[in-house]
Structure formats: C-alpha cells, structure tokens
Amino acid sequence: MDMDRFLKNQVTSWMESTGEYADIVMSTRIRLARNLDGYRFPLAFTEDEAHRIEQTVTGILLDADKLPQQFTSYQMKQLDPLDKQVLIEKHLISPSLIEAEYESAAVISEDESLSIMINEEDHLRIQCILPGLQLEEAYRQARNIDRVLDREVSYAFDEKYGYLTTCPTNTGTGLRASVMMHLPALTATKQMAKIAPIINRLGMVVRGIYGEGSEALGNVYQVSNQVTLGKAEVEILQELQGLTKQLIEKEREARQALLSHSRIILEDKLFRSLGTLRYARMLSTEEAASCLSDVRLAIDLGIITHVSKTILNECMVFMQPGFLQQYAGSSLSPKDRDVFRAKMIRERLTIEEKGENSYDV
Amino acid sequence: MICENCKQRPAHVKMTVTQNGEPFTRHLCEVCASQLHPFQNQQDPLTVHQLLTNLFTPEQPTKQANREKSQWSCPTCGWTYERFVHRGKFGCADCYTTFGNALPPVMKRLHNGNAEHIGQVPEAFEETRDLKRRIEDIRSRMQEAIAQEEFETAATLRDQARELEAKLLKGGD
Ligand SMILES: [Zn+2]
Ligand SMILES: [Zn+2]
C-alpha cells in the first residue's frame, strides 16, 4: 500500500503537534464515566439491558442536531478484529470494550477527537482527546456531549456520591483527566522515579503509557487525577494543569542541563538514533520507541530540523501490531513485524525528506 | 479462572498487553494487574479490592456487625456484600444504598479523605440543589437574626424558608 496515503488516512487529530506546550505535552484526554438510571451496571446487567442502552445512546448521538460534528457508530460485535485493534491503538476505545460480554459500541466523531464508549465498565465513557495541553477545551467538549445526553436520558446520580459508577475510584465527578507527556530528560537523569511518589501524594498518578514492565516506552508518560469525589471538576483540572506545568518546567531544565554538560555526547546519541531509524531493516518496539524519543528530543532542541514533530506521536501508534498488519495488508509474525516496523518508519522519514510537508498539519 | 501471575486470587482483570510487539491477553487478579505499571515499587498502590478487603476485615470484627453485613444483598442486582468486597465494584446504582453503611471509609481512603460529591449535577438535580442552598442560606441568616434579637426579621426569614421548603417537597415529587 502507498505509505503516504495510508498514513494520511490514519493520522488522527490528537497526533498533531499543535496545542500549547506541544514540545512536551503530546496530548490531553478527558473521560467522563456515566451510567443510566434504571439499568444495572455492565457487570450485572442482562443482554436485553445492554441492547436497550446501546440503542438509546447511539440513537441520541446519531440524531442530535446540536452536536458540532458527525458521528459514526461502531458495533464491537460486528467489527473485524484488526479494525478493533487499530481503534485501541489509536486510543479511541479501550481493550475492555471489545471484551464486553453483551452488546458494546463506540460512537466516534469525524475528526476522532470525541468518542463515546457504550457498555464498557460503565454504560457510558465519554472521551475527548486533543493535541497538546488543552485540559479546559477537552473538558468543555466532553461536557457538551454529556449535556446533550443529560437532556434525553436520566443518569444514575446521588446527591451525596454524585455520578454513580461501577468502580468506586470513579464515583463523584466520573472525571479522569490525563496528559500524555514526553519526558526523556527527566527519565535520562533518573528523576522520574523520585517524582512519581510525590505526584501520588497529590492525589494524581503517573505511568508509562506504551508497553509494560519497568520502563515507559518512548519516555512517554501519562499523568492523571485519581481523586474524583469531593473535588469539583474545575479544581481537578486546575490541579492537573498546575502539576503538568511544573513537570514541563523540570523537563526543560533537565534538557538544558543535558545540553550544557554534554552537548556533543547528546548530539551523538540523538543522531545515531536517527541513523538507526533511517537505515535499520529490523526494529523491535523497544528499540524503535527509544530512537523515536531521541529524534523527537533532537527536534525540540533544534538539533534535527528537517523532521516534523509529529513523528513520535504517529509512529508510536503506527508501529503497534494492529497498524502494522493493516499497513502490510496481512497478518504478520513477530519477526515480520520488526521488518515492517523498520520499513514503515523508513518510509515515514523518506516522505519528509522529499520535502512534502503534508504532515505539518 | 485463577490469576496467571500469583496463581492464588481469582482473575477478574483481562488485560491486553504488548510485549515485544506481540499483543496477548493476560488474566490477572486486581492486585497483580495493578502492579503492571512502572512505579509500583515506589508507590505501592492499594487496589480497590485490597482496600475493601483490608477495611472490611478489621482485626477484631464484632460478630454481630459481620453477621449483619453478610446478610446485605442488593434487591436490584442481587449482589451480596461478599461479592461487592470481592470484586471491589458495584453491580448497580442501588448497591450504593444497599452497602451504604460501609461506604464512607472506603470513599475516604480512595479519594484523599473526601466522601461527598461537590461537582456538576445533572440538570434535573440543579433546581433542587439551588433550592437547598437558598434554604440553608436563609436559615443561617435567621439564626443570626435570633442571636441579634431581631425577632421580626427572623420571623420573615422563617416564612421564606418554609415557602422554599414547600417548593422543594413539590419538586421532589
Ligand atoms: Zn494475581
Ligand atoms: Zn446492586
């Protein structure tokens, strides 16, 4: 398949490098958990309840004339496994949505910034992802969907506990706000391990977002609030915003320190990574992630200038198995994936070297 | 199904993880699942399940209290108290009432000491909330008036409060 076309079709709005503090904050995500009154929660509901909820909510969202965008509904049971995998890799749905016992669906907006999961752990998970640091705007958009639904259905709500959810960790506002951050310098200087417990004490949590195990793949972290009860939405957003800005400042300091202490060593490492991405014929997820992080850092520091910033955001998503197989047009063994991963990244770099700015959206 | 990792607790969490680029499903208990993220050593997060188990099995449980709790069962979804503790989740909105007496300490532990919602409310609750706030306000002004021995003002305020309370009752119907 033509790489250029493939990528253009797959780039989703949150992968752009726009938005505030886009050198460090890759994207912002807001999620509201809601349940409908009069139906048992997904862990205890019947097939019939699941069906009625799905029909009701999809109907409202597809018919609503007050919504800013067109929406499309995807029934999980009818979707091809590879397509589901791709939606997961784009962060538009969660793995548990496709594992739902009964009917589950995702209603996704045209630009893929808004997605409403139906019958995941809760009846509704309203999600908005935007590029850069845009907590208020992402919340505003998710809340807009929430309001539209609120007018048509009645939510499970309690004056004392707020919005009632399946898991007590979401009770109250049902709001989970997260920012995805690229923190290579804080990681390299071993500061993340010290920062994590402090963030925890503030009622927030930081974790690697890609891969598993002890390292955050690609030095990409997600910082989110944990407390949802007893704090108003604005307060939750402001606290996360404040913490994010502090992390940005610390990361910038660490980057400057790396530059001033060992510029040539840093440059050498970052250029080698670009070399690897450009010439390697096989790349594991780990190696690709680490090189992509290096190249992105080099772009932010002005060391590498002819590659667009979106490369990290995009390739971290596109190099996952679902995307690679869609790109290859067939299923791939793990070894073949390494080959295709290297090929995909090489082609992605070549497109830019041809001088096409099609990705600097 | 038993947790693949500890082979002890039931596997309630199905996780799709990627390792060496290979996606596969792991069946884990909530404890092991929570430890799959990078900073577990530093932060030692309490999972909901752990938390509930710890909170609900105090060192010296009074037999009476335990017997009482073991009889709780949600009329809407059928979940027993035991199931709720075991899963660390609710089966339906009415579980919040059914297991209500056990909730405040759980919520406080999970939400930094908070046990009451103060954020947005659905439109249907907005009017009620505003009425309640106004009544509270009038009542406190009434107390002030009484303290100042301004009984006429206090009487007027009392009438206002009653009027609003009547409205609240009608609205709640
Ligand atoms: Zn386990
Ligand atoms: Zn229940």
Side-chain angles (χ1 to χ4, degrees), chain A residues 40-41 43-44 85 95 99 121 139 143 150-151 155-157 159-173 192-193 196-197 200-203 205-208 211-214 221 226-233 235 285-286 321 334 337 341, chain B residues 14-26 36-39 42-43 45 48 52 76-79 83-84 87-94 96-97 100 103-104 106-108 110-112 114-126 128 132:
Chain A
R40 282 162 285 196
F41 295 167
L43 284 177
Q85 183 68 24
E99 282 157 7
E121 185 185 81
Y139 175 69
R143 174 78 178 131
D150 185 15
R151 261 172 242 135
Y155 281 142
F157 183 86
E159 283 182 44
K160 182 167 181 210
Y161 289 123
Y163 291 95
L164 304 178
T165 53
T166 292
C167 188
T169 54
N170 294 318
T171 306
T173 57
M192 281 315 290
N200 259 282
R201 253 170 273 140
L202 297 170
V205 66
V206 59
R207 62 178 64 138
E212 66 163 310
S214 56
Y221 297 85
Q226 280 195 299
V227 172
T228 56
L229 187 64
K231 267 185 196 173
E233 289 82 356
E235 207 182 331
T285 311
E286 289 75 14
R337 278 178 212 163
R341 186 173 295 115
Chain B
K14 225 157 115 192
M15 269 186 121
T16 308
V17 294
T18 314
Q19 210 165 35
N20 301 322
E22 179 81 3
F24 58 98
T25 308
R26 298 184 67 175
L36 268 180
H37 73 83
F39 301 108
Q42 286 83 22
Q43 77 186 48
V48 177
L52 290 167
T76 308
C77 69
W79 279 31
R83 182 165 210 178
F84 160 62
R87 304 210 64 169
K89 309 227 160 142
F90 298 103
C92 74
D94 293 332
Y96 279 82
T97 318
L103 291 188
V106 178
M107 290 303 184
K108 281 184 181 163
L110 288 172
H111 298 284
N112 274 10
N114 303 319
E116 279 191 47
H117 178 62
I118 55 165
Q120 294 286 355
V121 304
E123 232 164 73
F125 286 79
E126 268 169 27
T128 322
K132 281 188 176 165

Side-chain angles (χ1 to χ4, degrees), chain B residues 81-156:
Chain B
Y81 178 72
E82 200 193 341
R83 182 165 210 178
F84 160 62
V85 171
H86 186 71
R87 304 210 64 169
K89 309 227 160 142
F90 298 103
C92 74
D94 293 332
C95 288
Y96 279 82
T97 318
T98 311
F99 311 123
N101 286 340
L103 291 188
V106 178
M107 290 303 184
K108 281 184 181 163
R109 283 286 290 278
L110 288 172
H111 298 284
N112 274 10
N114 303 319
E116 279 191 47
H117 178 62
I118 55 165
Q120 294 286 355
V121 304
E123 232 164 73
F125 286 79
E126 268 169 27
E127 203 188 342
T128 322
R129 183 190 58 181
D130 293 345
L131 271 177
K132 281 188 176 165
R133 281 192 185 155
R134 276 169 63 198
I135 294 168
E136 251 173 61
D137 178 53
I138 292 170
R139 289 240 172 252
S140 77
R141 272 161 50 208
M142 189 178 84
Q143 289 307 323
E144 268 169 48
I146 293 170
Q148 307 280 324
E149 300 190 356
E150 291 164 7
F151 298 112
E152 238 169 87
T153 318
T156 319

Side-chain angles (χ1 to χ4, degrees), chain A residues 101-112:
Chain A
E101 196 179 349
Y102 303 128
E103 220 169 297
S104 67
V107 182
I108 300 174
S109 72
E110 231 173 343
D111 72 354
E112 301 186 333

Side-chain angles (χ1 to χ4, degrees), chain A residues 128 160 162 179 183 283 293 300-302 305 307 340 345-346 361:
Chain A
C128 178
K160 182 167 181 210
V179 284
L183 303 171
L283 280 172
S293 168
D300 291 335
L301 293 175
T305 50
V307 182
F340 264 90
I345 293 175
R346 271 201 320 277
V361 206

